[in-house]
Amino acid sequence: MRVNEKDYRTICLDKKNKYVSIIDQTQLPHKFVIEKLEHPNDFVRAIKDMHVRGAGLIGVTAAYGMYIASLKAPEENFDVYMKSIAQELKSTRPTAVNLAWAVDQQLEEIEKYNFIDSARNALLERANKICEEEVNSCKKIGINGLELITNLSEKKCKKEVNILTHCNAGWLAFVDYGSALSPIYLANKSGIDVHVWVDMTSPWNQGAKLTAWELQQEKVPYTIISDNTGGHLMQKRLVDMVIVGADRVTKKGDVVNKIGTYLKALSAKDNNIPFYVAFPSSTFDWKIENSNYIQIEKRSGEEVKYTQGIDEKGKITRVLLTPKESNALNYAFDITPARLITKLITEKGVFNANKKDILKIYPEHKND
Amino acid sequence: MRVNEKDYRTICLDKKNKYVSIIDQTQLPHKFVIEKLEHPNDFVRAIKDMHVRGAGLIGVTAAYGMYIASLKAPEENFDVYMKSIAQELKSTRPTAVNLAWAVDQQLEEIEKYNFIDSARNALLERANKICEEEVNSCKKIGINGLELITNLSEKKCKKEVNILTHCNAGWLAFVDYGSALSPIYLANKSGIDVHVWVDMTSPWNQGAKLTAWELQQEKVPYTIISDNTGGHLMQKRLVDMVIVGADRVTKKGDVVNKIGTYLKALSAKDNNIPFYVAFPSSTFDWKIENSNYIQIEKRSGEEVKYTQGIDEKGKITRVLLTPKESNALNYAFDITPARLITKLITEKGVFNANKKDILKIYPEHKND
């Protein structure tokens, strides 16, 4: 997608020089900084400290991390080394399923080969494949979701369609296009009159920082609101639809997504506003039936107590908001039960959030 | 209540020197600064810029503002001058009814007297009365609400009672004790094991700044959470009850309170957790039946885009969170429909949020 009128992806392998370039998302929207990841630890740290974040992107980053690790791995201890890196990568962010999924795919590649060079090649190919599949999935999610926006626009006699989104499920959360924002970008390009309500998404403010920045770069009209505001806007009929992303989706259609999603789903339901969840199929967790068993990542309370922005001199500065001695709790995700979701949107189509309808689209997972 | 082990009120008239002292709440929790209001414009500015805030406190501040204004009013144009100050005070914050209520009470006093000195005395007495009545109401709200907490504590075999609150409805929002926090202070003093989940309450962060500071000073255990978190905690059964304040309550029991209250009420309902609203009777608006007609204050979008805290050197600093060009919308309140409220708590008792039950407690307002 566009940054200062130029096309970018969030992640890019330099095959010749054997490093990966990412956008350091902790510095957005204030500074656009490209960061090099050269060592396996760079990948672990980049995911953990959220230089890259978003279900899709951390998966792809980990996949490339496994490839780069294979270049550094000692030949005599290749398997042990790779398994330990895999474990480290998986433990950085426990909730989004794409991360574990991508690392497991890479471990399967390693299993297949007896020669290290073949394994390295396979890791590279698989990482590229995961990356390209993700891009294609996001593109298709856009096409599938566009229909919903088009219909609403027709119903409103082409008056402005107001879409609320929570957190960032744009291209910054993936490699390109994004999930929740992909249909919005397409709608905007197709000349549909769209406007996005951007939830700030405290404490990390992914909405205020990343979604706002993305939409600004792509010239999509948007307005930032505090996380407290969406319900009131829905009561006032100022929201036509909600589209969010997902970090993990169960077979029954329960959605794990950024903390606060559940509250917006409740209020959409209370006001009879459609609530859509957009994600690539890799976000399904086919193994867990009961969403209560999913581990919800608890991050440092410091992320609640402190926030980062630029001061009047333009310097990126961290400020303490609360009394210094305060305790703070920082769950990163919550679970939106399927009963609150109007439709799920994946690259495979638009369908209801229940086991029967999900398995109709994904019959190969019937017995998982 | 306690500040560094000493007793304070949020507002105090210096009768001899004819000024009013307030706590500048924009500097909390980082600095405890007492500010003098000497001229009518100081009162207008203090309310508008939220040096004082909270339904109760802005009412009392405006009442004293009218008294101080009467000392500065030109004798030849006394009535016109006072009416214009009254108008200015009322227009600072349109939603909380206590402000208009207090100013109207003062205008009624002026009507009663032909001599300016008598009017001045009456304004002083009325301001003191409003102030003392508020303190007494808040004290009684504490006693009435305590019973609910005690019952819950008994039901939980005296295990920790977890209470979620939104924004600040503590003593800083009134003169002393507070509304939502008053029962909590009393419970804590009575040896009940209480713990408070404090919603940050962005964008102004009254929870993270003021409620946290109050609870810290009074040694009540608390944990700050982002506004997105309460729903998830309710799903996990980590919240036993919700108590919030109110800025305006209709005869039917609809509650106007800090933006985001509605979302917490929805999630309390969805999880079958009691949701209480505590406020002095002066918060009732007996004139409006339909809460949709209540003007919801829209504050500057800059309050969403920027936030204030202390930097690493301890200096109070404002930082920009979003892209500089972003639009932001900042509604200060929302409306929680009566159907989501378990009980209302006032100084008169604990009762259901519906017209019949409200008018049973307030029969004198039957024909308003």
Side-chain angles (χ1 to χ4, degrees):
Chain A
M1 303 290 285
R2 310 292 280 172
V3 180
N4 305 324
E5 311 294 336
K6 270 175 65 183
D7 274 326
Y8 280 87
R9 283 182 168 188
T10 54
I11 188 162
C12 179
L13 173 71
D14 188 312
K15 206 174 146 188
K16 193 177 137 208
N17 299 306
K18 296 171 183 165
Y19 64 82
V20 163
S21 298
I22 57 156
I23 300 167
D24 176 2
Q25 300 193 20
T26 63
Q27 305 214 38
L28 288 175
H30 313 299
K31 281 184 190 162
F32 181 71
V33 176
I34 304 284
E35 185 181 345
K36 272 188 202 177
L37 308 182
E38 297 179 82
H39 299 282
N41 280 342
D42 295 345
F43 288 81
V44 170
R45 191 191 33 73
I47 298 172
K48 202 170 196 167
D49 297 346
M50 294 172 66
H51 290 220
V52 289
R53 26 65 54 203
L57 179 54
I58 60 179
V60 175
T61 306
Y64 280 118
M66 289 291 285
Y67 164 62
I68 297 289
S70 77
L71 305 178
K72 313 279 176 189
E75 306 227 335
E76 63 279 15
N77 253 324
F78 187 79
D79 278 18
V80 174
Y81 179 87
M82 290 306 292
K83 272 184 194 155
S84 111
I85 293 292
Q87 196 42 48
E88 257 195 273
L89 283 166
K90 277 162 99 170
S91 68
T92 49
R93 310 272 329 255
T95 303
V97 80
N98 312 55
L99 174 61
W101 171 84
V103 173
D104 285 340
Q105 291 223 343
Q106 294 292 48
L107 287 175
E108 274 172 35
E109 290 299 333
I110 295 171
E111 290 284 312
K112 283 188 211 159
Y113 297 93
N114 287 324
F115 297 103
I116 290 178
D117 272 350
S118 315
R120 281 180 183 138
N121 279 337
L123 287 167
L124 171 60
E125 270 175 41
R126 173 65 68 173
N128 284 336
K129 201 176 160 219
I130 290 174
C131 180
E132 292 309 320
E133 275 179 4
E134 177 117 316
V135 172
N136 285 329
S137 292
C138 284
K139 203 169 179 176
K140 282 185 196 153
I141 289 169
I143 296 165
N144 292 338
L146 175 64
E147 211 184 313
L148 301 168
I149 304 177
T150 309
N151 290 346
L152 206 51
S153 166
E154 297 294 335
K155 217 170 115 186
K156 287 190 80 179
C157 303
K158 305 204 170 171
K159 270 191 220 145
E160 188 180 65
V161 176
N162 288 290
I163 305 174
L164 185 140
T165 193
H166 188 67
C167 195
N168 172 263
W171 70 278
L172 288 173
F174 292 89
V175 177
D176 215 346
Y177 307 109
S179 59
L181 296 192
S182 185
I184 296 172
Y185 287 132
L186 218 51
N188 189 56
K189 277 199 183 110
S190 325
I192 295 175
D193 189 2
V194 283
H195 166 261
V196 184
W197 295 114
V198 177
D199 269 0
M200 293 196 75
T201 322
S202 76
W204 212 84
N205 294 323
Q206 287 94 335
K209 291 180 172 176
L210 306 179
T211 300
W213 181 80
E214 275 195 25
L215 295 172
Q216 182 86 31
Q217 295 288 336
E218 288 286 331
K219 302 185 173 49
V220 179
Y222 70 94
T223 306
I224 300 172
I225 50 175
S226 84
D227 299 312
N228 290 316
T229 305
H232 184 61
L233 296 184
M234 292 187 205
Q235 287 180 310
K236 288 177 90 111
R237 316 303 308 163
L238 294 170
V239 178
D240 297 306
M241 69 195 313
V242 181
I243 315 182
V244 297
D247 290 82
R248 197 190 291 216
V249 181
T250 71
K251 215 185 252 193
K252 286 180 175 168
D254 292 342
V255 166
V256 181
N257 190 44
K258 179 56 52 197
I259 190 94
T261 302
Y262 167 56
L263 293 171
K264 294 302 142 61
L266 280 171
S267 113
K269 188 79 172 181
D270 198 46
N271 293 285
N272 205 20
I273 289 164
F275 187 93
Y276 300 109
V277 185
F279 55 95
S281 301
S282 53
T283 304
F284 271 115
D285 180 345
W286 299 108
K287 286 182 211 129
I288 288 187
E289 286 252 345
N290 186 338
S291 54
N292 292 324
Y293 296 150
I294 294 171
Q295 188 190 343
I296 300 295
E297 178 183 1
K298 223 191 256 183
R299 296 182 61 83
S300 163
E302 301 290 284
E303 288 184 356
V304 175
K305 293 174 65 179
Y306 290 83
T307 199
Q308 183 180 285
I310 52 167
D311 68 11
E312 56 187 3
K313 288 177 187 151
K315 195 184 140 212
I316 292 185
T317 303
R318 201 175 84 129
V319 293
L320 171 67
L321 303 171
T322 68
K324 213 174 164 53
E325 314 81 357
S326 299
N327 285 324
L329 180 70
N330 186 12
Y331 278 111
F333 304 94
D334 65 16
I335 300 165
T336 300
R339 67 183 150 90
L340 301 176
I341 297 164
T342 311
K343 296 271 179 195
L344 302 176
I345 309 170
T346 75
E347 76 278 11
K348 302 265 194 188
V350 177
F351 46 92
N352 292 323
N354 64 56
K355 194 169 167 183
K356 199 178 131 220
D357 287 337
I358 290 169
L359 289 178
K360 238 188 251 166
I361 308 283
Y362 299 91
E364 67 276 22
H365 291 287
K366 229 169 213 158
N367 302 317
D368 282 9
Chain B
M1 303 291 283
R2 310 292 282 172
V3 181
N4 305 325
E5 312 293 335
K6 270 174 65 182
D7 273 326
Y8 279 87
R9 284 181 166 189
T10 54
I11 188 162
C12 177
L13 173 71
D14 187 313
K15 206 174 148 188
K16 192 178 138 208
N17 298 307
K18 294 168 183 166
Y19 65 82
V20 163
S21 299
I22 57 155
I23 300 166
D24 176 2
Q25 299 192 21
T26 63
Q27 306 213 39
L28 288 174
H30 312 298
K31 282 186 190 162
F32 181 71
V33 176
I34 303 285
E35 184 181 347
K36 272 188 202 177
L37 308 180
E38 296 178 84
H39 299 281
N41 280 342
D42 295 345
F43 289 81
V44 170
R45 190 190 35 71
I47 297 172
K48 203 170 194 164
D49 297 345
M50 294 174 64
H51 291 220
V52 287
R53 25 67 52 203
L57 180 55
I58 61 178
V60 174
T61 306
Y64 280 118
M66 289 291 285
Y67 165 62
I68 298 289
S70 77
L71 305 178
K72 313 280 176 188
E75 304 228 334
E76 63 280 13
N77 253 325
F78 187 81
D79 278 19
V80 174
Y81 179 87
M82 290 305 293
K83 272 182 193 153
S84 111
I85 293 293
Q87 196 42 48
E88 258 195 273
L89 283 166
K90 277 162 97 169
S91 69
T92 48
R93 309 274 328 256
T95 303
V97 80
N98 313 55
L99 174 63
W101 171 85
V103 172
D104 286 340
Q105 290 222 343
Q106 294 293 46
L107 287 174
E108 274 172 34
E109 290 299 332
I110 294 169
E111 290 285 312
K112 282 188 209 158
Y113 297 93
N114 288 324
F115 296 104
I116 290 178
D117 273 350
S118 316
R120 281 179 182 138
N121 279 337
L123 287 167
L124 171 60
E125 270 174 40
R126 174 63 70 175
N128 284 335
K129 201 174 159 221
I130 290 173
C131 179
E132 292 309 320
E133 275 179 5
E134 177 117 318
V135 172
N136 285 329
S137 293
C138 285
K139 203 169 179 177
K140 282 184 195 152
I141 288 168
I143 296 164
N144 293 337
L146 174 63
E147 212 184 313
L148 301 167
I149 303 177
T150 309
N151 290 346
L152 206 50
S153 165
E154 297 294 334
K155 217 170 115 186
K156 287 191 79 180
C157 302
K158 305 205 170 169
K159 271 191 219 142
E160 189 179 64
V161 176
N162 288 290
I163 306 173
L164 185 140
T165 193
H166 189 67
C167 195
N168 173 264
W171 71 277
L172 288 172
F174 291 90
V175 178
D176 215 345
Y177 308 109
S179 60
L181 296 193
S182 185
I184 295 172
Y185 287 132
L186 219 51
N188 189 56
K189 277 201 183 110
S190 324
I192 295 175
D193 189 3
V194 284
H195 165 262
V196 185
W197 295 113
V198 177
D199 269 0
M200 293 196 74
T201 322
S202 76
W204 212 84
N205 294 324
Q206 288 93 335
K209 291 180 172 176
L210 306 179
T211 300
W213 182 78
E214 276 195 25
L215 294 172
Q216 182 87 32
Q217 295 288 335
E218 288 286 332
K219 304 185 172 47
V220 179
Y222 70 95
T223 306
I224 301 172
I225 49 175
S226 84
D227 298 313
N228 290 316
T229 306
H232 183 60
L233 297 184
M234 292 187 206
Q235 287 179 309
K236 286 176 90 108
R237 315 304 307 164
L238 294 171
V239 179
D240 297 306
M241 68 194 314
V242 181
I243 314 182
V244 298
D247 290 82
R248 198 188 292 215
V249 181
T250 71
K251 214 186 256 195
K252 287 180 175 168
D254 291 344
V255 166
V256 181
N257 191 44
K258 179 56 53 196
I259 190 94
T261 302
Y262 166 55
L263 293 171
K264 295 302 142 63
L266 280 171
S267 112
K269 188 81 173 179
D270 198 45
N271 292 285
N272 205 20
I273 290 164
F275 187 92
Y276 300 109
V277 185
F279 55 94
S281 301
S282 53
T283 304
F284 270 116
D285 181 345
W286 299 108
K287 287 183 210 127
I288 288 185
E289 286 252 348
N290 186 338
S291 54
N292 292 324
Y293 295 150
I294 294 170
Q295 188 190 342
I296 299 294
E297 178 183 2
K298 223 192 261 181
R299 296 181 61 83
S300 163
E302 301 291 284
E303 289 184 354
V304 174
K305 292 174 65 179
Y306 290 83
T307 199
Q308 184 180 285
I310 52 168
D311 67 11
E312 55 187 4
K313 287 177 188 151
K315 196 183 139 208
I316 292 183
T317 304
R318 201 176 82 129
V319 292
L320 171 66
L321 304 172
T322 69
K324 214 177 161 54
E325 315 81 356
S326 300
N327 285 326
L329 180 69
N330 185 12
Y331 278 112
F333 304 94
D334 66 16
I335 300 166
T336 300
R339 67 183 150 90
L340 301 176
I341 297 163
T342 311
K343 297 273 178 191
L344 303 175
I345 309 170
T346 76
E347 76 279 11
K348 301 266 195 189
V350 178
F351 46 93
N352 292 324
N354 65 56
K355 194 169 167 183
K356 200 178 130 220
D357 286 338
I358 291 170
L359 289 177
K360 237 187 250 168
I361 307 282
Y362 300 92
E364 67 276 22
H365 291 289
K366 226 165 214 161
N367 301 317
D368 282 8

